[in-house]
Amino acid sequence: MSIPSAFFQNFLGPSPTWYKQIIIAFLIINPILLIVAGPFVAGWVLILEFIFTLAMALKCYPLQPGGLLAIEALAIGMTSPDLVLHEIQANLDVLLLLIFMVAGIYFMKDLLFFVFNRLLLKIKSKVMLSLFFCFSAAILSAFLDALTVIAVIISVAAGLYAVYHRVITGHEAEYSKEPTNEKGILDRSDLDRFRAFLRSIMMHAAVGTALGGVCTLVGEPQNLVIAHVAGWNFGEFIIRMSPITFPVFFAGLCVCMLLEKFKIFGYGESLPTDVRRILSENAAAEDTKRTLNQKIMLVCQAVIAIWLIIALALHLAAVGLIGLSIIVLATSFTGVVEEHQIGKAFEEALPFTALLVVFFVVVSAIEANGLFSPIIDAVLHMPPDNQASIFYLANGILSAISDNVFVATVYINQVADALAAGTITRDQFDVLAVAINTGTNIPSVATPNGQAAFLFLLTSAVAPLIRLSYGKMVIMALPYTIVMTIVGFICIFYFLDPMTEWFYQIGLIEHHTGGPNIGSGAHGGGH
C-alpha cells in the first residue's frame, strides 16, 4: 500500500470513498470560490456544505467534516476567531446546558426508564401514546427547556432499545451494533417495527418541544431576546403570541393524531406484540429483584426530579448550573463516586457540544459576510400591511437553514433600528416582533439544523440505532412543517392585527409609549 492510499484510508476512517472525495472537493473549492466569486457566494456554499455534513450524519459524524470546513473558513478569512468567540460567549448558557444537564439526566435514567416504560406499556393506543409524548414535550418545553426534554426522551428510547437488545441476544452486548444471536442475524420484522415505533415517538416529542417552546418567554432563547428588546413581561409575551401559538399548538396535535391514524410519513407503527411482551416481562423481573437500596435510589431520583422541575420552572439559575446541581445530588445519593463512572455521563453530550461550536463558526461567517442582509433589506422595504407575514416566512426559511436565535436577533435589532429612525410605529414594531418570534420557532422544524433539539436528536447515539437519518427527519417533519407554517401564516395575515387591537381594548395589554431596548439584547447564534 502506498503512502497516499494509507493516508486516504485513514482520512475520515470507514466513511464511504465517495463521501471522502466530496469533502476533499469542498476543501479545494472553497478558497477558489472566495477568490473568484467573493465572500457572499462562498459563504452560502459553506452553509450548504455544512448542511450536507449534517444530512450524511449516519455516514460520518458531522464534527469531523464540518470541523474541517470551519477550520478552513477561519484560515481563508471568511470569519475570525474573535467573532467565533463572541458567538460562543453569547451561547455559553446553551453550552453549559449540554455539558451538565444532559449528564445530569444520565444519572436519573433509572427513574425515567421506570416511569416511561410503565406508561408505554399501560397506554396501548398508539394515537393516545403519541399525543401524550407530543403534548407532554410541549408543556414541559414551554416552561423548562427543549434540550432537557429531548435528552429525557433520548434516554428513554435508548433504555428501551437496550432492554430489547439484551433479551433477544441473551447477553449485555454493544447495542450500537446490529443485534444477533447464536444463529446469526435475528428476524428483522419486529426489530424494524420497533425502530419505526421509536422513531415516530421521538419525532412527535421533538415537534412538541417546538409547539411549546414558541408560547412563552422562557420557551426558547430567542424568545428572551425578543421580549427583552420589546420590553414585554411573561404574561404579555404569552398574550401577544396567543393569536398564532394557540391555533398552531392545536393544529400540531391534530397532525399528530392524523399521522398515526392514517399511518403516513413514517408514522403509525405500533409497539410489536413480542416487543411489548419482552418489555413487560423485563419490567416484572426488575420489580421482583429490586433491592431496598435500589428502591431508595428511585425515591432519591424522584425527589431530585422535583427539584429539577421547580428550579427550571422558576429559573433559579442558568440551566447548565441546575444540571450541575443534578449531577452532584444524583451521584451523592446513589453512591456514584468514582471518576470513571461519572465520566460516562458526559460521553453523549460532549461530541454534540463540540459540533455546536463548529456550527457557531458557520454562524459567524454568516454574520461576517452579511449573507442574510439582502433578504432582511428586501423584507424591510415591503408594504407595511404585508410586512408581518413576510417577516414570518423569511424568518422561517432562514431559521430552517441557519440558527433561529441568530436570525431572530438580527431581525429584531433591525426592526428596533427602524422604530428608532421613525420608519415604523411602536404598534407596528410589536406586531413585527410577534412575527419574528413565531417565524423563528415554527417553520424551523423543517430541518434538524433549524432547532437544537432536533439537531441533538439527529446526532445522538440512539439515532443510528433506530435508523433516524437527516432525510428521514425532514420527511417525518414535513406534514408538521406544512400545516404549522400555513396555520401560523394565516393567523398572522388575518388575525394578528385585529386580535392585538382587541387585547388593547379589553385591557389585557397596554400600548407601549417608550422605544425598545435597542442594543441591550444578546446578540449571537445558538438555540
Side-chain angles (χ1 to χ4, degrees):
M1 180 183 294
S2 64
I3 292 177
S5 297
F7 178 82
F8 187 77
Q9 269 196 349
N10 289 338
F11 180 69
L12 299 183
S15 302
T17 299
W18 61 265
Y19 182 82
K20 298 181 182 183
Q21 292 170 340
I22 289 175
I23 297 301
I24 292 172
F26 286 166
L27 295 171
I28 293 172
I29 289 170
N30 288 343
I32 299 173
L33 266 180
L34 183 63
I35 296 170
V36 175
F40 187 83
V41 173
W44 274 104
V45 170
L46 176 66
I47 293 173
L48 296 176
E49 290 170 349
F50 186 75
I51 292 174
F52 172 81
T53 65
L54 297 177
M56 296 292 108
L58 294 185
K59 302 294 183 184
C60 176
Y61 191 73
L63 174 63
Q64 288 77 25
L68 290 173
L69 293 171
I71 291 171
E72 183 182 62
L74 284 163
I76 62 179
M78 293 183 68
T79 184
S80 69
D82 288 341
L83 198 52
V84 174
L85 182 60
H86 171 72
E87 296 294 338
I88 293 171
Q89 289 171 337
N91 290 276
L92 185 59
D93 284 354
V94 179
L95 298 178
L96 289 176
L97 183 158
L98 287 168
I99 294 170
F100 294 128
M101 183 58 80
V102 176
I105 296 300
Y106 175 88
F107 291 113
M108 298 178 64
K109 62 182 181 180
D110 292 338
L111 174 68
L112 295 171
F113 183 74
F114 177 84
V115 172
F116 279 92
N117 189 35
R118 275 149 185 77
L119 285 171
L120 187 144
L121 295 174
K122 186 175 182 180
I123 305 174
K124 296 187 178 181
S125 166
K126 180 64 187 305
V127 174
M128 294 306 298
L129 187 65
S130 299
L131 273 176
F132 169 78
F133 272 86
C134 188
F135 182 82
S136 299
I139 297 300
L140 289 172
S141 296
F143 298 98
L144 305 181
D145 177 80
L147 275 170
T148 303
V149 174
I150 212 66
V152 169
I153 303 301
I154 289 171
S155 177
V156 171
L160 293 171
Y161 190 92
V163 168
Y164 178 67
H165 181 283
R166 183 179 68 246
V167 172
I168 62 176
T169 58
H171 57 86
E172 295 278 0
E174 178 61 41
Y175 66 88
S176 62
K177 299 178 182 178
E178 191 73 6
T180 61
N181 57 15
E182 64 278 1
K183 297 179 181 179
I185 299 294
L186 291 157
D187 177 21
R188 295 189 58 88
S189 176
D190 280 349
L191 177 61
D192 289 341
R193 290 178 60 201
F194 186 40
R195 282 170 169 163
F197 171 82
L198 290 177
R199 281 198 302 268
S200 62
I201 289 296
M202 296 186 77
M203 283 301 296
H204 287 313
V207 172
T209 63
L211 288 173
V214 67
C215 294
T216 67
L217 185 149
V218 297
E220 289 283 349
Q222 68 265 30
N223 301 13
L224 279 168
V225 173
I226 292 170
H228 180 70
V229 174
W232 299 337
N233 59 30
F234 191 90
E236 182 176 0
F237 186 94
I238 294 176
I239 293 169
R240 285 189 178 275
M241 297 297 157
S242 61
I244 296 92
T245 55
F246 286 5
V248 168
F249 180 83
F250 289 110
L253 294 182
C254 290
V255 172
C256 177
M257 289 190 295
L258 292 173
L259 288 173
E260 291 297 333
K261 184 173 178 61
F262 291 101
K263 301 182 178 182
I264 52 177
F265 289 94
Y267 295 95
E269 189 62 71
S270 299
L271 185 65
T273 304
D274 285 344
V275 178
R276 181 181 293 276
R277 176 183 55 79
I278 288 171
L279 295 177
S280 181
E281 291 175 354
N282 177 80
E286 290 293 326
D287 287 344
T288 302
K289 64 182 183 181
R290 185 171 289 114
T291 65
L292 180 60
N293 279 356
Q294 290 172 326
K295 291 177 181 178
I296 294 298
M297 285 183 185
L298 288 178
V299 172
C300 289
Q301 289 181 15
V303 174
I304 294 168
I306 294 171
W307 152 249
L308 171 64
I309 293 171
I310 293 173
L312 288 174
L314 299 179
H315 298 275
L316 300 180
V319 177
L321 297 181
I322 295 172
L324 181 56
S325 75
I326 296 299
I327 295 174
V328 173
L329 293 171
T331 54
S332 297
F333 291 100
T334 57
V336 180
V337 294
E338 296 180 11
E339 184 179 359
H340 76 277
Q341 291 179 298
I342 298 172
K344 291 178 181 178
F346 294 89
E347 292 177 0
E348 175 72 17
L350 285 182
F352 180 72
T353 306
L355 176 62
L356 201 58
V357 172
V358 168
F359 184 55
F360 294 157
V361 178
V362 178
V363 172
S364 68
I366 293 172
E367 182 180 6
N369 298 289
L371 302 186
F372 291 169
S373 296
I375 301 173
I376 295 170
D377 292 340
V379 173
L380 284 172
H381 286 88
M382 291 283 178
D385 291 344
N386 298 331
Q387 275 188 351
S389 53
I390 298 299
F391 262 68
Y392 171 81
L393 292 177
N395 276 266
I397 293 169
L398 294 179
S399 294
I401 63 173
S402 176
D403 165 41
N404 47 13
V405 180
F406 172 77
V407 173
T409 304
V410 170
Y411 266 92
I412 196 66
N413 285 337
Q414 291 281 346
V415 173
D417 290 340
L419 175 57
T423 307
I424 59 176
T425 66
R426 175 66 208 214
D427 285 350
Q428 282 179 291
F429 170 85
D430 288 332
V431 169
L432 292 179
V434 173
I436 293 169
N437 186 74
T438 52
T440 53
N441 275 290
I442 296 171
S444 58
V445 302
T447 66
N449 41 303
Q451 299 216 9
F454 282 55
L455 188 59
F456 186 39
L457 175 57
L458 173 67
T459 57
S460 68
V462 79
L465 302 182
I466 62 175
R467 305 299 187 263
L468 185 60
S469 64
Y470 188 101
K472 177 67 73 173
M473 287 188 74
V474 170
I475 292 171
M476 295 183 76
L478 185 61
Y480 279 112
T481 304
I482 293 173
V483 173
M484 289 162 56
T485 302
I486 290 175
V487 171
F489 180 85
I490 291 172
C491 290
I492 287 178
F493 193 82
Y494 290 105
F495 305 128
L496 180 57
D497 280 329
M499 286 294 292
T500 302
E501 186 59 35
W502 183 65
F503 291 152
Y504 286 139
Q505 291 175 3
I506 64 175
L508 279 179
I509 55 176
E510 297 179 357
H511 287 278
H512 288 274
T513 55
N517 301 311
I518 301 173
S520 57
H523 179 69
H527 296 262

